[in-house]
Amino acid sequence: MTPQEYVEEVLELVERIPEGRVMSYGAIADALAERSGRNSPRQIGTIMARHGGGVPWHRVVNSAGRLPPGHEREARARLLSEGVPLRGDRVLIEEAGWTPDADRTG
């Protein structure tokens, strides 16, 4: 998978995160690791910072539930409007976390 294909895969996965749910940078990296040969949460963060403006970027948080750096206020407002549970400035990932396997029909 080329670097550009990886960027596209990341953005397509973020597009699939349902309203009211979130994924961490690490969960995105893990979900794509087998197909891509890559597994770096930092790389996901870089992709989101450079290319994520057209996808629901606010649904991507760090593993502790912290909101995207520099965009906390807007992300918080968007997530609250979607009904995402927060405690203080963190998303409750155990309640709002989503995996791509969750929407596959067998």
Side-chain angles (χ1 to χ4, degrees), residues 21-71:
R21 305 300 296 272
V22 299
M23 284 185 82
S24 70
Y25 299 102
I28 292 170
D30 289 346
L32 298 174
E34 192 173 314
R35 278 198 331 266
S36 70
R38 298 168 174 84
N39 192 357
S40 170
R42 286 181 188 257
Q43 191 172 24
I44 301 302
T46 299
I47 289 168
M48 292 304 297
R50 291 183 182 163
H51 308 285
V55 298
W57 56 267
H58 59 284
R59 296 180 188 150
V60 181
V61 298
N62 79 7
S63 61
R66 288 195 196 114
L67 305 177
H71 303 281

Side-chain angles (χ1 to χ4, degrees), residues 17-23 59 79 82 84 95-99 102:
I17 301 171
E19 187 173 312
R21 305 300 296 272
V22 299
M23 284 185 82
R59 296 180 188 150
L79 292 171
E82 294 182 3
V84 172
E95 294 178 32
W98 178 82
T99 62

Side-chain angles (χ1 to χ4, degrees), residues 69-90:
H71 303 281
E72 294 90 349
R73 179 177 282 157
E74 184 177 353
R76 180 178 173 77
R78 288 181 181 211
L79 292 171
L80 285 172
S81 75
E82 294 182 3
V84 172
L86 289 108
R87 179 172 293 134
D89 62 349
R90 295 180 189 215

